[in-house]
Amino acid sequence: MQPAVVTHLRCPVCRAPLARAGTALRCPQGHSFDVARQGYVDLTAGRPAKGDTADMVAARESLLAAGHFGALTAAVAELVAHERPGLVVEVGAGTAHYLAAAIRSGGDGLAVDTSKPALRRAARAHERIGAVRADIWHGLPVADHAAAVVLDVFAPRSGAEFARVLRPGGALVVATPAAGHLAELVDALGLIRVDPAKRERLRKSLDPWFVPAGEHRVHAPLALTRADAHALVGMGPSAWHTDPDAIRAALEGMPEPVAATLDVDLTVWRART
């Protein structure tokens, strides 16, 4: 757990500052949270927090390591690089793949997720990343106005919490699937479709606290092996609603490379003044 990141953390019980105390983080009120041997700390304070399974995390790590979402990774890193150096908080960070790319040019990273298998990887994704287990719906264990950037890539969003932890002039960067995202696989395998009203729902969810400050479309063809396509299905929301064996059998009947499309809206938001 990086000392520069710990300074921005707050106790999930009493909101007091946390500090390293041996193998734990502790606040002045005596609330203590052990740092796992893999490097992350659980700050859920015992609240239920369901996260991605080990299989889902492994699928995501495999797919991202193969570079298929490289265009999105590069676009995220470029947007964050335009902000002043500071703390980048990624909510729903998973393995912290995007966060690691975002801080390569400077700053520190805080990966927040509810999945322990994901956090084990996030904690070692970059030497300047700290990883904590927390659920955004219960509040982020982060100090007010601590973050230069809040990053949200295909993850749950809380406009109120994002506005609270962002410093004045900070940026919220959000990635959401566009209409054509993975459309070929959606049609062939019966996956969950992108909600046609997703852009409008995003705007409404952030409107009380944020105004749009930029929009970018990341669009690129994908040429996947069957294994990559299976990992792509297994790492996302369709993994909760499909039979892995049925997906594997369907992919066996498809020629390689399996064609798909990366189609993502990348939006930048600033706090209302």
Side-chain angles (χ1 to χ4, degrees):
M1 181 58 64
Q2 304 303 313
V5 174
V6 172
T7 61
H8 300 294
L9 296 180
R10 294 296 180 265
C11 174
V13 179
C14 67
R15 303 296 300 172
L18 290 170
R20 189 67 183 253
T23 60
L25 300 184
R26 187 170 296 139
C27 76
Q29 303 303 316
H31 302 121
S32 184
F33 309 91
D34 291 336
V35 178
R37 62 183 178 81
Q38 296 92 348
Y40 72 91
V41 62
D42 191 333
L43 295 181
T44 58
R47 302 182 184 96
K50 182 180 180 180
D52 288 348
T53 66
D55 286 345
M56 293 174 70
V57 172
R60 179 176 296 113
E61 187 170 54
S62 172
L63 194 284
L64 293 175
H68 294 298
F69 278 29
L72 177 58
T73 304
V76 167
E78 183 177 356
L79 284 178
V80 174
H82 288 304
E83 303 302 317
R84 292 174 293 164
L87 179 68
V88 180
V89 177
E90 184 177 7
V91 176
T95 63
H97 170 86
Y98 298 104
L99 181 60
I103 67 168
R104 283 189 190 121
S105 61
D108 299 301
L110 173 63
V112 180
D113 206 283
T114 56
S115 168
K116 291 182 179 181
L119 290 167
R120 293 180 188 120
R121 292 166 168 82
R124 59 177 186 266
H126 192 285
E127 61 183 6
R128 296 197 307 277
I129 285 179
V132 302
R133 186 168 185 251
D135 187 343
I136 190 171
W137 304 120
H138 293 141
L140 296 173
V142 179
D144 294 353
H145 312 308
V149 178
V150 171
L151 180 59
D152 184 292
V153 181
F154 308 140
R157 295 172 296 275
S158 169
E161 274 298 275
F162 291 167
R164 181 186 66 79
V165 303
L166 266 178
R167 71 187 184 188
L172 167 63
V173 178
V174 179
T176 52
H181 188 55
L182 309 180
E184 299 88 345
L185 293 179
V186 169
D187 292 338
L189 303 175
L191 307 182
I192 296 174
R193 295 185 178 276
V194 176
D195 181 356
K198 196 171 189 68
R199 288 167 61 92
E200 181 62 17
R201 288 196 299 108
L202 172 64
R203 185 192 64 77
K204 286 183 178 180
S205 71
L206 297 178
D207 184 67
W209 302 276
F210 291 92
V211 294
E215 182 173 337
H216 311 263
R217 174 63 66 87
V218 180
H219 189 91
L222 302 177
L224 308 168
T225 65
R226 294 188 190 96
D228 287 338
H230 193 266
L232 189 50
V233 176
M235 78 181 204
S238 289
W240 298 104
H241 307 283
T242 55
D243 179 352
D245 291 334
I247 294 296
R248 186 176 290 106
L251 287 169
E252 285 299 321
M254 299 173 66
E256 289 186 316
V258 178
T261 302
L262 177 68
D263 192 21
V264 179
D265 286 322
L266 198 54
T267 52
V268 180
W269 305 77
R270 304 283 180 185
R272 289 189 177 277
T273 57

